[in-house]
Amino acid sequence: GLVLDVRNNGGGLFPAGVNVARMLVDRGDLVLIADSQGIRDIYSADGNSIDKSTPLVVLVNKGTASASEVLAGALKDNKRGLIAGERTFGKGLIQTVVDLSDGSGVAVTVARYQTPAGVDINKIGVSPDVQLDPEALPTGSEGVCRVLGSDAAPRLFG
């Protein structure tokens, strides 16, 4: 199986999160963009995934935010992978900076991210399918592989 570790990933770029989801989900909605008027945009899979069937576990924690949460929500709601760890941070706002005459700026919220099931990510986050103690898996690929390869590993695949 595949392990996608987005723990302590503060987000990155929204298009990158959508593109990774498109690599793993062949059909279905990936993220909804909503404003005060309701859903204004929907990003969907494009039918060109490179792997839609290998078992997948996505590791998340309270440091998983923004585009990483969009990715986790897309994979969870499309039943593409098991989400394991802690509830994510809950950073689901889309903001733009308006420049002020004195050279400063103010961030204005223009919309918010929702998972394909309509869950508002902001302040709520993405809840894991399987709760893991934050100390159960070390961060870093070597530590994760060592623990997942041991007899004491949490059962995440089948």
Side-chain angles (χ1 to χ4, degrees):
L2 301 172
V3 176
L4 179 59
D5 189 350
V6 292
R7 294 175 298 164
N8 300 318
N9 183 319
L13 299 175
F14 172 77
V18 171
N19 287 337
V20 171
R22 284 183 173 145
M23 290 180 196
L24 298 167
V25 177
D26 203 47
R27 303 247 181 262
D29 294 337
L30 302 174
V31 62
L32 312 175
I33 307 295
D35 61 16
S36 61
Q37 306 297 311
I39 304 299
R40 73 168 195 199
D41 206 355
I42 299 174
Y43 289 78
S44 299
D46 57 13
N48 294 312
S49 65
I50 59 173
D51 187 338
K52 60 183 176 185
S53 61
T54 301
L56 173 66
V57 171
V58 182
L59 301 177
V60 299
N61 67 4
K62 62 187 176 187
T64 304
S66 196
S68 296
E69 289 176 289
V70 166
L71 173 59
L75 297 173
K76 178 179 180 167
D77 286 359
N78 282 283
K79 301 189 183 342
R80 176 57 186 91
L82 179 82
I83 310 300
E86 304 175 90
R87 181 177 295 278
T88 64
F89 183 81
K91 184 176 182 245
L93 296 180
I94 302 168
Q95 298 179 315
T96 188
V97 176
V98 176
D99 295 325
L100 301 176
S101 60
D102 66 358
S104 64
V106 62
V108 177
T109 300
V110 295
R112 61 190 185 281
Y113 297 123
Q114 293 181 354
T115 71
V119 175
D120 190 341
I121 293 172
N122 197 54
K123 296 184 182 175
I124 297 170
V126 175
S127 61
D129 300 309
V130 174
Q131 289 277 340
L132 289 180
D133 182 323
E135 305 303 315
L137 286 176
T139 56
S141 59
E142 287 182 25
V144 169
C145 290
R146 184 176 59 256
V147 170
L148 291 179
S150 75
D151 291 337
R155 187 167 173 90
L156 300 175
F157 292 100

